[in-house]
Amino acid sequence: MDSPSGGTPLTIQVSGPTRYVVVTLSGEIDFTGHSRLRDELTQALATTRVALIVDLTEVGFCDSSGVNTFVRIARRARERGVSLVLAGMHGRVANVFVILGLGQVFHTHEDVEAAVRWLESAEEGTVS
């Protein structure tokens, strides 16, 4: 089933729980999928004490409902003392976050591997 915007429907894959839970998304994040995304991210957040990494490499579109979902999950993560890291943002998705000034809200990295390296260096005390 296509999304209302005519693009690719959102798929969600959760890897974990391990030291870091990775949620891999692909397709488009829009109003039709944001509640499922919220539920999956909330559940994934509950399974980690360290970090939740969201891989957005295969996401080509994110509307305001998706951005709102990420902001709410970031707040929950902060309250629990868990890092939320967005990895692989590019193109229109990255532009939305930049335009909205959300660079201060999220830790972002070019891919999951870079996010893991950053988290590991933070745990070792080598990141300021």
Side-chain angles (χ1 to χ4, degrees):
M1 182 168 115
D2 287 340
S3 71
S5 62
T8 308
L10 180 65
T11 62
I12 303 170
Q13 180 180 7
V14 180
S15 303
T18 59
R19 180 175 196 97
Y20 313 121
V21 175
V22 178
V23 177
T24 303
L25 307 176
S26 64
E28 295 188 351
I29 302 171
D30 58 23
F31 184 76
T32 62
H34 85 279
S35 61
R36 186 168 56 94
L37 175 62
R38 179 198 61 226
D39 293 346
E40 292 282 350
L41 291 176
T42 299
Q43 186 174 0
L45 182 62
T47 65
T48 183
R49 298 175 126 190
V50 180
L52 174 60
I53 302 169
V54 181
D55 184 358
L56 297 163
T57 304
E58 297 298 321
V59 173
F61 176 80
C62 182
D63 72 6
S64 60
S65 63
V67 171
N68 186 41
T69 298
F70 287 118
V71 169
R72 288 174 186 256
I73 292 296
R75 186 177 307 126
R76 287 182 185 162
R78 200 170 32 255
E79 290 168 356
R80 292 191 64 232
V82 172
S83 295
L84 174 64
V85 183
L86 302 181
M89 276 199 300
H90 58 90
R92 293 188 303 174
V93 176
N95 289 341
V96 167
F97 282 79
V98 169
I99 289 168
L100 294 174
L102 295 173
Q104 304 263 331
V105 175
F106 299 100
H107 299 287
T108 60
H109 292 278
E110 61 272 10
D111 55 35
V112 171
E113 291 78 19
V116 169
R117 283 192 306 273
W118 177 79
L119 287 162
E120 289 174 350
S121 65
E123 288 179 351
E124 295 170 1
T126 57
V127 170
S128 54

